[in-house]
């Protein structure tokens, strides 16, 4: 994920530098001068993501009973619908498809079958966001974004009757999250490019526990909530 963040920063700096060449000339060229006067407009996004879990325990686990959660890089794609409420405020609906994967390692087991759980997810996310933009300077406009979302996990195993004793790690099908982030609008001659980085935080416990209340996989877990970093490249 660190490499993805570095890529995001390099792309943003490069685009900003290219736009800056025209912005600081004697007669700067202002691209898409009337773009932000539209009441409604559309776009799409592509990006990368890394999901993991924030795990809280009922009692502090012994050193030999810890759970290590490792998130893997995934990708995301979706559509963007924008309603301008004010010169500096937009309401945004950004439904998207997210592919994610996590590896859970239970230290108390020595055999691979019980020790490791691969938790793959295919999310359909329905976020409603508010975007707060700064004053546009030339062809650059920074912004903050935040809001709430409902997320459907198509790979949740929620309807399965089997538990971890049969290698079935289950989570709820629907979850609620909040999102905060920042980005930059970069105005080119024919389109607006908006790279952003965002944090996603689950609002509720999404773990489905094993039938055995003393299950070594789920018995001591108070809550398990989604946590993610998203890097989106939006085009309008």
């Amino acid at each position: 994920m660190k490499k993805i963040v570095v890529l995001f920063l390099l792309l943003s700096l490069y685009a900003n530098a290219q736009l800056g060449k025209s912005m600081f000339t004697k007669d700067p060229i202002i691209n898409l001068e009337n773009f932000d006067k539209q009441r409604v407009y559309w776009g799409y996004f592509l990006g990368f993501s890394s999901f993991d879990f924030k795990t809280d325990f009922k009692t502090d686990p012994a050193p030999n009973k810890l759970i290590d959660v490792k998130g893997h890089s995934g990708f995301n794609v979706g559509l963007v619908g924008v309603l301008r409420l004010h010169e500096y405020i937009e309401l945004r609906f950004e439904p998207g498809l997210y592919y994610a994967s996590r590896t859970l390692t239970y230290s108390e087991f020595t055999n691979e079958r019980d020790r490791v759980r691969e938790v793959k997810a295919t999310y359909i996310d329905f976020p409603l966001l508010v975007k707060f933009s700064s004053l546009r300077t030339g062809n650059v406009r920074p912004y903050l974004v935040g809001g709430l979302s409902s997320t459907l996990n198509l790979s949740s195993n929620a309807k399965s009757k089997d538990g971890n004793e049969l290698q079935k790690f289950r989570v709820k099908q629907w979850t609620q999250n909040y999102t905060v982030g920042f980005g930059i609008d970069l105005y080119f001659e024919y389109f607006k490019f908006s790279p952003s980085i965002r944090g996603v935080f689950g609002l509720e416990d999404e773990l489905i526990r094993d039938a055995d209340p003393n299950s070594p996989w789920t018995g001591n877990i108070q809550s398990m909530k989604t946590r993610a970093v998203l890097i989106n490249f939006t085009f309008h």
Side-chain angles (χ1 to χ4, degrees):
M1 196 61 203
K2 291 180 180 178
K3 293 180 180 178
I4 296 176
V5 173
V6 171
L7 176 62
F8 166 80
L9 293 173
L10 290 175
L11 286 173
S12 299
L13 288 172
Y14 175 77
N16 198 5
Q18 295 302 308
L19 291 171
K21 291 179 181 179
S22 62
M23 187 171 66
F24 294 109
T25 57
K26 183 177 179 180
D27 297 309
I29 298 174
I30 304 300
N31 298 322
L32 303 177
E33 187 171 0
N34 296 316
F35 188 93
D36 290 336
K37 295 180 180 179
Q38 300 177 88
R39 177 71 171 172
V40 176
Y41 62 95
W42 310 93
Y44 67 92
F45 68 85
L46 306 168
F48 303 94
S49 58
S50 179
F51 282 75
D52 69 0
F53 286 120
K54 180 182 183 297
T55 306
D56 293 319
F57 297 94
K58 296 177 182 177
T59 60
D60 291 337
N64 65 333
K65 293 188 177 182
L66 295 174
I67 304 174
D68 177 64
V69 182
K70 181 180 180 182
H72 305 287
S73 297
F75 70 93
N76 19 292
V77 60
L79 301 174
V80 180
V82 180
L83 173 64
R84 183 168 299 282
L85 304 177
H86 182 270
E87 183 179 359
Y88 301 104
I89 302 174
E90 294 177 351
L91 185 65
R92 301 171 67 88
F93 181 53
E94 301 186 4
L97 183 65
Y98 294 78
Y99 293 97
S101 178
R102 311 167 176 94
T103 299
L104 277 63
T105 304
Y106 291 81
S107 60
E108 71 173 284
F109 297 107
T110 56
N111 63 84
E112 191 75 6
R113 181 184 184 279
D114 294 331
R115 181 180 177 84
V116 177
R117 292 289 180 267
E118 295 290 343
V119 184
K120 296 183 178 180
T122 302
Y123 293 115
I124 301 179
D125 191 39
F126 302 96
L128 190 61
L129 306 172
V130 179
K131 175 181 174 183
F132 301 92
S133 300
S134 70
L135 183 67
R136 176 174 173 173
T137 304
N139 292 311
V140 178
R141 193 176 196 184
Y143 64 85
L144 299 175
V145 66
L148 301 172
S149 68
S150 292
T151 304
L152 172 63
N153 184 354
L154 300 177
S155 308
S156 70
N157 287 326
K159 297 180 180 179
S160 175
K161 300 298 182 182
D162 299 329
N164 279 284
E165 67 280 358
L166 295 176
Q167 296 184 290
K168 290 288 186 180
F169 188 92
R170 298 172 297 165
V171 293
K172 295 176 182 177
Q173 196 167 27
W174 283 94
T175 56
Q176 311 299 318
N177 313 292
Y178 71 90
T179 301
V180 293
F182 66 92
I184 308 171
D185 286 335
L186 304 171
Y187 298 81
F188 291 87
E189 185 175 0
Y190 299 110
F191 64 92
K192 183 169 75 170
F193 173 55
S194 302
S196 67
I197 183 167
R198 306 175 184 185
V200 176
F201 305 92
L203 291 171
E204 57 190 27
D205 177 29
E206 58 192 88
L207 176 66
I208 297 177
R209 287 156 181 80
D210 297 334
D212 179 5
N214 297 314
S215 165
W217 294 279
T218 64
N220 192 37
I221 295 177
Q222 181 69 39
S223 69
M224 186 171 274
K225 301 176 182 179
T226 283
R227 201 166 49 176
V229 175
L230 312 179
I231 293 179
N232 287 346
F233 302 101
T234 303
F235 298 84
H236 294 291

